[in-house]
């Protein structure tokens, strides 16, 4: 008998270098980090992009919006594609599309070229991100190993925004704005090469794409996100804003009707029958709304009022990342014994407390006295919640529906973030205009001729009057963010229940040794 006859044939789709779950987790987490980073890394480079490509101020906002619209609108379809076609295959395809778009965006010479690349980046991210989360469910057995993997994934998801601000500052200041896009290319290529080596292909669940459901859900979510972005720019009474919301109601209503009758729905509505899972999606919606606003407005404050450079402002967010990682580790360790509710309640309460503290911010506040403390509270609360929400959303879901469940969780985060930021920007704008109306007479009485001439040309108040207006607007926006965190806290208190079956699913054999629900 030859050695060839003795050799065991490799199972189709099996990893070429199996038995290394740690490496597989690094590959999956690296994908999520790259996708999450892209939501914030570009922010600090926007002034340089505006100068280089001659964007108008209004059009510049679409550098962010093009990515958010595509990413938020296609997440559900991306999760379903992984279930049907194989998650590793779809994961790699999404990464390669994201990488190619990053390369093309870095070489953009015209505004439309960059906006098109950002939209394709969003499509690639929407394909890869829910598939990455679903791959954890097929790579790690339910219990402590999966909990630890989700802990790493959630920490990367939650802390990636702060890391993106730091990375964006360094790349922009030390190299060039194009590198906030080019940096994705080597990372993406490496992930695409390593994935077949260390990650097994998931079992494919033959079926049809729910074309009608995909069209209405994607269209409805896209116009919903667009409506909120439009509202932040042109107001809630703008005709396109109102039209977008009306279209979203119609499309999403049709989506629910189609899904209730479809044989193979893109989102099985029975997932919402579980009150813990439904509550998880609502909590994520509220917390993401607050989180996007917190990052956006603190960056404005530390750069425009405290005078931080891009790199300094990025470094200033590192304590948030540390707090998130510490809290994520604690939650994944004790979650099997205590269940999700204590972590959701405590995390939401800490998040709301941190935001309430930020409402006290003033022009004479310093980083240590007015920013660091509330950011630590906020970060610790978010860390407790992200791991818990991630585990609860996919716990007990049938393998063929894991992609849809994780896609819906990610969609809740993106839609919540876009919704929250647009509302907070609207609150900020109203409060800023009211404060400016009070500051202008004082400015006119004290300004020198040069300041008066500049004000007539730009319409912007110089410092210290401008700082007062900005800070008042930020403080008011954080007051609205407290209400969003309050929605999450109320949901955790009134909707989430601790059940013995959940403890057993989360902890496996370890949960049986813990207290009964």
């Amino acid at each position: 008998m030859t050695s060839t006859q003795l050799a065991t044939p490799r199972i189709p789709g099996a990893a070429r270098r199996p038995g290394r779950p740690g490496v597989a987790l690094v590959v999956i987490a690296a994908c999520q980090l790259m996708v999450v980073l892209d939501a914030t890394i570009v922010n600090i480079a926007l002034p340089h992009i505006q100068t280089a490509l001659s964007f108008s101020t209004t059009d510049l906002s679409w550098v962010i919006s093009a990515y958010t619209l595509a990413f938020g609108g296609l997440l559900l379809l991306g999760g379903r594609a992984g279930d049907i076609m194989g998650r590793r295959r779809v994961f790699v395809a999404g990464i390669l599309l994201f990488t190619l778009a990053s390369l093309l965006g870095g070489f953009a010479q015209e505004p439309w070229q960059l906006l098109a690349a950002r939209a394709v980046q969003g499509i690639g991210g929407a394909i890869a991100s829910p598939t990455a989360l679903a791959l954890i469910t097929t790579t790690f057995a339910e219990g402590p190993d999966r909990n630890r993997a989700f802990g790493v994934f959630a920490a990367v998801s939650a802390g990636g925004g702060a890391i993106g601000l730091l990375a964006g500052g360094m790349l922009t200041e030390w190299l060039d704005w194009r590198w906030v896009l080019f940096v994705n290319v080597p990372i993406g290529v490496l992930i695409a090469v390593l994935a077949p080596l260390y990650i097994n292909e998931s079992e494919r669940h033959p079926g049809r794409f729910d074309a009608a459901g995909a069209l209405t859900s994607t269209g409805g979510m896209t116009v919903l996100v667009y409506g909120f972005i439009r509202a932040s720019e042109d107001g809630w009474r703008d005709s396109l804003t109102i039209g977008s919301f009306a279209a979203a109601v119609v499309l999403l209503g049709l989506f629910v009707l189609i899904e209730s009758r479809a044989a193979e729905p893109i989102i099985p509505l029975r997932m919402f029958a579980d009150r813990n899972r439904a509550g998880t999606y609502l909590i994520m919606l509220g917390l993401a709304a607050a989180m996007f606003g917190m990052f956006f407005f603190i960056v404005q404050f530390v750069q425009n009022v405290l005078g931080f450079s891009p790199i300094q402002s990025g470094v200033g967010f590192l304590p948030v990342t540390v707090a998130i990682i510490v809290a994520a580790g604690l939650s994944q360790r004790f979650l099997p014994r205590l269940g999700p509710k204590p972590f959701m309640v405590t995390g939401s309460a800490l998040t709301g407390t941190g935001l309430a503290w930020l409402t006290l911010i003033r022009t004479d506040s310093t980083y240590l006295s007015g920013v660091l403390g509330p950011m630590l509270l906020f970060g610790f609360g978010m860390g407790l919640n992200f791991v818990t929400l991630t585990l609860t959303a996919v716990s007990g879901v049938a393998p063929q529906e894991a992609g849809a469940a994780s896609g819906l969780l990610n969609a809740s985060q993106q839609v919540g973030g876009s919704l929250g930021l647009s509302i907070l920007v609207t609150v900020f704008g109203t409060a800023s205009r009211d404060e400016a109306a009070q500051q202008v007479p004082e400015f006119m009485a004290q300004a020198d001729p040069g300041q008066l001439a500049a004000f007539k040309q730009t319409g912007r108040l110089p410092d210290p009057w401008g700082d007062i207006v900005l800070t008042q607007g930020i403080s008011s926006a954080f007051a609205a963010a407290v209400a969003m965190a309050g929605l999450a806290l109320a949901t955790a208190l009134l909707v989430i229940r601790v059940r013995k079956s959940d403890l057993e699913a989360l902890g496996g054999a370890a949960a049986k040794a813990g207290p009964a629900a």
Side-chain angles (χ1 to χ4, degrees):
M1 186 175 294
T2 67
S3 59
T4 302
Q5 291 173 310
L6 289 172
T8 302
R10 188 169 67 87
I11 301 174
R16 296 172 189 170
R17 298 180 183 178
R20 300 180 184 180
V23 180
L25 179 59
V26 169
V27 173
I28 295 171
C31 162
Q32 182 66 4
L33 178 61
M34 186 171 66
V35 172
V36 172
L37 279 177
D38 214 69
T40 58
I41 194 171
V42 174
N43 280 279
I44 291 180
L46 287 177
H48 298 265
I49 293 174
Q50 182 176 20
T51 301
L53 298 184
S54 300
F55 272 97
S56 68
T57 302
T58 302
D59 290 342
L60 186 66
S61 66
W62 284 102
V63 177
I64 302 298
S65 300
Y67 181 84
T68 305
L69 283 170
F71 189 75
L74 295 172
L75 274 169
L76 298 180
L77 187 60
R80 181 62 173 157
D83 291 338
I84 295 177
M85 302 174 63
R87 292 172 190 148
R88 189 184 69 185
R89 175 181 300 180
V90 173
F91 173 79
V92 172
I95 286 295
L96 290 176
L97 184 62
F98 186 92
T99 302
L100 176 62
S102 299
L103 180 65
L104 296 176
F107 283 118
Q109 301 298 317
E110 299 289 340
W112 70 267
Q113 295 171 347
L114 179 60
L115 296 183
R118 290 287 289 165
V120 176
Q121 272 188 307
I123 295 172
I127 294 171
S129 183
T131 311
L133 182 57
L135 277 172
I136 291 181
T137 65
T138 55
T139 303
F140 298 89
E142 193 165 40
D145 288 344
R146 184 181 294 181
N147 291 355
R148 283 192 290 270
F150 275 131
V152 172
F153 188 91
V156 166
S157 299
I163 297 172
L165 293 170
L166 176 60
M170 291 190 297
L171 291 170
T172 302
E173 195 163 317
W174 293 346
L175 295 174
D176 184 79
W177 69 266
R178 297 180 184 276
W179 280 95
V180 301
L181 297 168
F182 285 148
V183 70
N184 294 324
V185 176
I187 299 173
V189 170
L190 184 61
I191 292 172
V193 170
L194 293 179
L197 297 180
Y198 298 102
I199 300 175
N200 290 322
E201 179 61 278
S202 66
E203 181 182 353
R204 299 169 71 177
H205 303 279
R208 295 178 302 170
F209 281 106
D210 176 16
L215 180 63
T216 52
S217 67
T218 301
M221 290 179 66
T222 299
V223 295
L224 180 63
V225 173
Y226 175 78
F228 288 122
I229 292 174
R230 180 83 183 187
S232 68
E233 298 172 350
D234 298 290
W236 296 97
R237 297 182 180 180
D238 175 72
S239 59
L240 281 178
T241 299
I242 296 172
S244 296
F245 287 142
V249 170
V250 172
L251 288 172
L252 293 177
L254 285 173
F255 167 67
V256 173
L257 180 63
I258 291 169
E259 296 305 278
S260 66
R261 300 180 179 182
E264 298 181 25
I266 190 172
I267 291 293
L269 296 182
R270 60 182 173 273
M271 286 194 294
F272 293 96
D274 184 297
R275 63 182 293 159
N276 275 7
R277 186 169 299 112
T280 292
Y281 295 139
L282 186 57
I283 292 171
M284 176 62 83
L285 195 76
L287 291 178
M291 181 181 67
F292 275 51
M294 194 280 290
F295 278 109
F296 180 82
F297 288 111
I298 288 297
V299 167
Q300 303 300 314
F301 180 78
V302 298
Q303 288 196 19
N304 295 326
V305 178
L306 300 184
F308 282 22
S309 70
I311 292 179
Q312 287 175 323
S313 61
V315 171
F317 276 96
L318 290 182
V320 179
T321 306
V322 173
I324 289 171
I325 292 173
V326 171
L330 290 174
S331 61
Q332 70 88 16
R333 180 178 179 183
F334 293 106
L335 185 62
R337 294 186 180 182
L338 303 177
K341 184 163 186 171
F343 296 98
M344 292 181 182
V345 171
T346 304
S348 299
L350 288 175
T351 299
T353 302
L355 291 168
W357 191 350
L358 284 170
T359 64
L360 304 177
I361 207 166
R362 296 293 181 266
T363 54
D364 58 353
S365 300
T366 66
Y367 175 78
L368 292 177
S369 68
V371 177
L372 179 60
M375 282 204 312
L376 288 174
L377 276 182
F378 182 91
F380 198 86
M382 293 299 291
L384 291 178
N385 260 308
F386 267 109
V387 173
T388 309
L389 295 173
T390 302
L391 282 166
T392 305
V394 298
S395 179
V397 176
Q400 65 269 24
E401 296 175 352
S406 59
L408 188 56
L409 181 66
N410 277 323
S412 299
Q413 181 178 350
Q414 294 302 315
V415 172
S418 298
L419 161 62
L421 184 56
S422 65
I423 293 174
L424 296 180
V425 167
T426 301
V427 172
F428 166 83
T430 301
S432 297
R433 285 191 294 271
D434 292 343
E435 184 63 29
Q438 299 180 31
Q439 293 296 325
V440 167
E442 184 177 345
F443 162 74
M444 299 295 287
Q446 300 180 23
D448 59 43
Q451 290 176 322
L452 290 172
F455 177 69
K456 290 180 180 179
Q457 182 177 2
T458 65
R460 297 178 181 177
L461 288 170
D463 299 334
W465 302 278
D467 284 350
I468 294 173
V469 171
L470 177 65
T471 304
Q472 181 59 41
I474 290 175
S475 176
S476 300
F478 281 129
V482 172
M484 297 171 182
L487 170 65
L489 178 59
T491 304
L493 286 169
L494 301 176
V495 177
I496 302 299
R497 289 179 177 175
V498 178
R499 301 172 299 201
K500 186 176 181 179
S501 59
D502 295 322
L503 297 177
E504 292 173 345
L506 289 169
K512 298 177 182 178

